[in-house]
Amino acid sequence: MRGVRLRLEEFRQVASISECEIIDFVLEHPRMAAGASLKELANESGTSPSTVQRLCRKLGCSGYREFQEALVYEVALSGRSKDVALGGVLSGDSTQTVIDK
């Protein structure tokens, strides 16, 4: 399944104004959105909890919890890849270490 942020970007083209508010907030603040409750995300994006729920279902998630879990996973992966990128591959690294990085 495609990542949740990619699905958000793709769906934005056909989203309502309220849905765009949520999408913009999540894409601009993924870490904050990943840790937010349904009500908090609705408040931060200036929308309602029911609009957030509907958007989650339109993105192919069963509800907010599944959406949030997918977002948390992506944020964690992106943070990990940034950490690795900062470490970089060193000339003395073994083949396995290079693969891991």
Side-chain angles (χ1 to χ4, degrees), residues 7 16 23 26 35 53 59 61 66 70 85 94:
R7 286 184 277 163
S16 70
I23 291 168
V26 172
Q53 279 284 23
L59 293 171
C61 298
E66 185 177 329
S94 68

Side-chain angles (χ1 to χ4, degrees), residues 19 22 38-39 42 47-57:
E19 291 167 340
I22 299 164
L38 175 64
K39 288 182 181 180
T47 63
S48 69
S50 60
T51 303
V52 175
Q53 279 284 23
R54 278 192 302 274
L55 175 62
C56 294
R57 286 194 296 273

Side-chain angles (χ1 to χ4, degrees), residues 10-41:
E10 291 174 347
F11 185 74
R12 192 176 192 297
Q13 298 171 2
V14 296
S16 70
I17 294 170
S18 294
E19 291 167 340
C20 285
E21 294 294 326
I22 299 164
I23 291 168
D24 291 344
F25 181 81
V26 172
L27 293 177
E28 289 174 23
H29 309 284
R31 288 189 185 280
M32 186 183 300
S37 70
L38 175 64
K39 288 182 181 180
E40 289 170 340
L41 181 56

Side-chain angles (χ1 to χ4, degrees), residues 76-89:
L77 281 181
S78 69
R80 182 172 179 249
S81 66
K82 287 179 186 174
D83 292 343
V84 170
L86 292 175
V89 176

